[in-house]
Amino acid sequence: GLNGTIIGIVIKECARRAMAAIRARRFTFEAKEKGFRPDGRTDWVTDADVLAQKIYTKLLREAFPHFGIVGEEDELSIPCSIEGENIYFTVDPLDGTAAFTRKQSSGVATMCSLVWGDEVIASCIGDVLTGEVYYFRPDSQKVHRISKNGFASVLLIDHDKPLADQHLLLRDPVSYHPGGLTRHLCETQESQLFKGLSFANGSIGLSMARLWKGEVGGAILTANKQTPWDMSPIVGMNDMLGIIAFELGYSATQC
């Protein structure tokens, strides 16, 4: 069977090393265009993205040589070599590259997850600029938030707190959400479902961490093309915390 403790130690160490490498290049990185996003914005890659992915790949291959790996940069795809199984890591070495190139003081992360078949069994999301890590491992029912100094707290969702006392998080302007029900949720004075709106940019993982920490009571994501390295860490965390996702027209809402 899988050793959940060892998996947890390795993915946290991957995140720690990747965060250190990214921080070291915060003001000296080299960036280049690698394409365009569905909304027409430029998609960037930096030498920090590439280096962080190499760190993940080296350590994961050394620790788990038979597991697969899929990663964002250079179409990384290493198949699982365990007969009859499909176990693989997803790696988003630098989540929030646009925020990183703007030299923001927030919204820059690194993410990985471990997927077994159709289930995310481990997830680790590191906040590059605070050093915090959000993580869970196999054989544990707890999701932890770990500080840069190693202090850990268990994340729990307050399911008894009314949505009317909480804000709704958006990563895009309201005009980007064509669904009628989505628009209605955003019109808080009319719907009274949420207290108000809150906005975020940069790392999608750190945006969703605001939901896991209880800073907001719901989040709406636009229905752009999603990748396993973007979504698997988030789906795993949401499932562990009992957060429910709904399809709202052309968008997905998580509450």
Side-chain angles (χ1 to χ4, degrees):
L2 300 179
N3 188 314
T5 300
I6 293 177
I7 289 170
I9 291 171
V10 171
I11 61 175
K12 284 187 292 182
E13 180 62 13
C14 283
R16 186 193 68 80
R17 294 186 188 185
M19 289 191 292
I22 295 167
R23 283 195 300 269
R25 285 158 177 74
R26 187 178 176 195
F27 300 115
T28 59
F29 63 85
E30 295 182 3
K32 63 180 180 180
E33 296 182 11
K34 70 173 184 179
F36 294 93
R37 299 184 178 187
D39 59 9
R41 291 179 295 178
T42 301
D43 198 9
W44 295 94
V45 62
T46 72
D47 54 349
D49 294 71
V50 175
L51 176 59
Q53 184 162 290
K54 288 181 179 178
I55 290 170
Y56 274 104
T57 305
K58 181 177 185 296
L59 187 52
L60 293 176
R61 292 294 287 166
E62 289 174 348
F64 308 104
H66 302 297
F67 290 8
I69 306 176
V70 294
E72 179 175 12
E73 306 308 333
D74 298 322
E75 299 181 352
L76 176 64
S77 180
I78 300 172
C80 174
S81 60
I82 303 174
E83 186 176 355
E85 297 289 358
N86 186 25
I87 305 175
Y88 61 94
F89 289 98
T90 70
V91 175
D92 190 343
L94 204 170
D95 180 39
T97 301
F100 181 71
T101 61
R102 293 192 294 266
K103 300 184 177 68
Q104 284 187 198
S105 298
S106 62
V108 181
T110 184
M111 306 197 298
C112 71
S113 71
L114 179 59
V115 182
W116 189 355
D118 296 325
E119 182 183 0
V120 181
I121 62 172
S123 180
C124 188
I125 298 171
D127 187 326
V128 170
L129 300 174
T130 69
E132 288 185 314
V133 169
Y134 306 90
Y135 126 102
F136 74 89
R137 63 171 176 82
D139 306 324
S140 173
Q141 296 303 310
K142 296 179 180 179
V143 176
H144 285 93
R145 177 185 183 184
I146 305 173
S147 74
K148 183 178 181 180
N149 297 323
F151 296 104
S153 62
V154 177
L155 289 179
L156 296 170
I157 300 298
D158 184 357
H159 295 286
D160 295 324
K161 187 176 182 180
L163 293 180
D165 293 338
Q166 303 181 74
H167 283 75
L168 176 66
L169 181 70
L170 298 180
R171 285 174 48 82
D172 299 288
V174 177
S175 60
Y176 280 40
H177 300 269
L181 183 54
T182 303
R183 289 289 190 94
H184 183 66
L185 286 173
C186 295
E187 295 167 355
T188 55
Q189 290 186 353
E190 182 177 324
S191 69
Q192 295 298 306
L193 183 58
F194 289 93
K195 183 177 182 180
L197 298 178
S198 183
F199 294 88
N201 62 23
S203 161
I204 188 172
L206 295 185
S207 296
M208 296 304 297
R210 296 180 61 186
L211 180 62
W212 307 329
K213 292 183 288 185
E215 294 179 11
V216 297
I220 295 182
L221 306 178
T222 53
N224 294 329
K225 179 182 178 182
Q226 304 295 351
T227 62
W229 45 84
D230 275 333
M231 295 308 298
S232 291
I234 293 170
V235 168
M237 296 286 282
N238 284 349
D239 288 346
M240 284 291 291
L241 290 168
I243 294 172
I244 302 171
F246 301 95
E247 293 289 337
L248 295 178
Y250 298 97
S251 302
T253 298
Q254 313 211 22
C255 300

